[in-house]
Amino acid sequence: MTVIRMKHRSADADTAPGKAVDVMDAAGPRVCDDMSVEVALAVMAAARTGRLAVCDEDDQRVGLVTRTDLTAVRDSGARPDRVRLRDILGDRGRVPLAAC
């Protein structure tokens, strides 16, 4: 008799470990890209996390912002209540990775 070992496969099982999707899944709270930097910092503080997964209006993940990213904007003299997360992501690209 041959023993067969099976692993449970998640919905993202075809994704290689260490890819952006894995990082995004571990990012913690998901927020919309139209959220202001000021509100995002408050969400981070409340969630006790150092990063947020950012989704667009189609619920597609478009990036990841860290506390360092947000505090840099706040400390730059820009008004954190007017700068949106999509403005920070800017040149990082908008590659849909998975639905939020």
Side-chain angles (χ1 to χ4, degrees):
M1 175 185 255
T2 304
V3 176
I4 299 173
R5 293 188 178 144
M6 299 177 66
K7 285 185 176 179
H8 174 71
R9 292 178 55 115
S10 68
D12 291 329
D14 58 341
T15 304
K19 296 241 178 181
V21 173
D22 296 329
V23 173
M24 297 293 284
D25 286 340
R30 296 177 187 150
V31 296
C32 287
D33 65 350
D34 65 345
M35 180 178 283
S36 71
V37 168
E38 183 176 55
V39 174
L41 282 166
V43 169
M44 267 188 197
R48 295 185 176 132
T49 186
R51 58 188 178 210
L52 299 170
V54 182
C55 297
D56 66 8
E57 63 277 352
D58 296 324
D59 282 340
Q60 297 296 309
R61 295 180 196 168
V62 294
L64 183 72
V65 293
T66 64
R67 185 179 315 277
T68 303
D69 296 331
L70 300 179
T71 55
V73 171
R74 183 189 62 204
D75 296 344
S76 73
R79 293 195 48 196
D81 61 326
R82 302 247 184 212
V83 178
R84 304 289 173 213
L85 296 180
R86 70 172 66 101
D87 300 330
I88 294 172
L89 294 174
D91 296 333
R92 294 185 198 177
R94 299 180 63 88
V95 179
L97 299 174
C100 282

